[in-house]
């Protein structure tokens, strides 16, 4: 994995995602950072951070991409060739928050000759704040 040069935008975006208690969208980042960088730079930096396994992306039930930090992945999966996120993501139908449920690992079994490249489990309902 190639090391990417640190930039002010990359640092600001990584810190914003890392400090968020829930997954954030591109729009959340753009609104939260203000004039730090333009929308294209945000897209490029998010892709770099995903490729460096520092954050992961979640396809929410409404089709919006969200991003969350990879704290557990950075410590547990450093030497794994294929980087996956097989925990469940919870999408609240009321407040629209998306959170990683790191301690819940669903199981699945595919037919022979299928190779898993990416896993995205999203469960929707009401979060504890909205119940």
């Amino acid at each position: 994995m190639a090391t990417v040069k640190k930039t002010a935008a990359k640092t600001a975006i990584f810190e914003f995602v890392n400090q968020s208690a829930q997954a954030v969208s591109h729009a959340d980042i753009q609104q939260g950072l203000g004039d730090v960088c333009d929308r294209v730079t945000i897209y490029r930096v998010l892709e770099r951070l995903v490729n460096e396994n520092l954050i992961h992306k979640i396809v929410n039930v409404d089709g919006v991409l969200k991003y969350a930090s990879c704290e557990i992945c950075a410590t547990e999966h450093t030497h794994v060739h294929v980087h996956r996120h097989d925990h469940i993501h919870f999408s609240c139908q009321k407040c629209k928050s998306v959170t990683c449920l790191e301690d819940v690992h669903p199981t699945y079994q595919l037919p022979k000759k299928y190779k898993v490249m990416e896993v995205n489990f999203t469960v929707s309902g009401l979060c504890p704040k909205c119940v």
Side-chain angles (χ1 to χ4, degrees):
M1 187 176 349
T3 304
V4 178
K5 180 177 83 172
K6 281 197 173 194
T7 64
K10 181 179 174 189
T11 301
I13 292 167
F14 177 69
E15 287 177 2
F16 186 87
V17 173
N18 208 27
Q19 292 172 0
S20 179
Q22 58 192 1
V24 293
S25 68
H26 178 280
D28 296 332
I29 296 166
Q30 190 170 9
Q31 182 180 9
L33 295 181
D35 293 333
V36 171
C37 53
D38 61 34
R39 65 181 189 81
V40 174
T41 301
I42 295 171
Y43 280 118
R44 288 182 184 145
V45 169
L46 287 170
E47 205 52 42
R48 281 187 207 156
L49 292 170
V50 168
N51 290 336
E52 291 177 353
N53 298 327
L54 295 172
I55 64 172
H56 65 281
K57 62 182 161 184
I58 304 155
V59 180
N60 196 11
V61 292
D62 60 5
V64 174
L65 279 178
K66 299 230 175 183
Y67 300 86
S69 63
C70 285
E71 293 174 25
I72 290 176
C73 298
T75 59
E76 291 183 2
H77 302 295
T78 310
H79 302 292
V80 176
H81 186 61
V82 177
H83 187 74
R84 295 193 309 211
H85 298 276
D86 57 359
H87 57 269
I88 289 179
H89 301 101
F90 189 88
S91 177
C92 182
Q93 294 174 337
K94 188 173 182 181
C95 70
K96 306 300 183 199
S97 67
V98 177
T99 54
C100 295
L101 302 178
E102 302 282 359
D103 297 331
V104 181
H105 297 276
T107 60
Y108 58 92
Q109 187 171 1
L110 296 176
K112 291 182 180 185
K113 297 192 179 189
Y114 283 84
K115 181 180 179 181
V116 176
M117 300 302 286
E118 187 173 330
V119 177
N120 187 13
F121 289 103
T122 304
V123 176
S124 65
L126 297 176
C127 72
K129 291 185 277 183
C130 294
V131 173

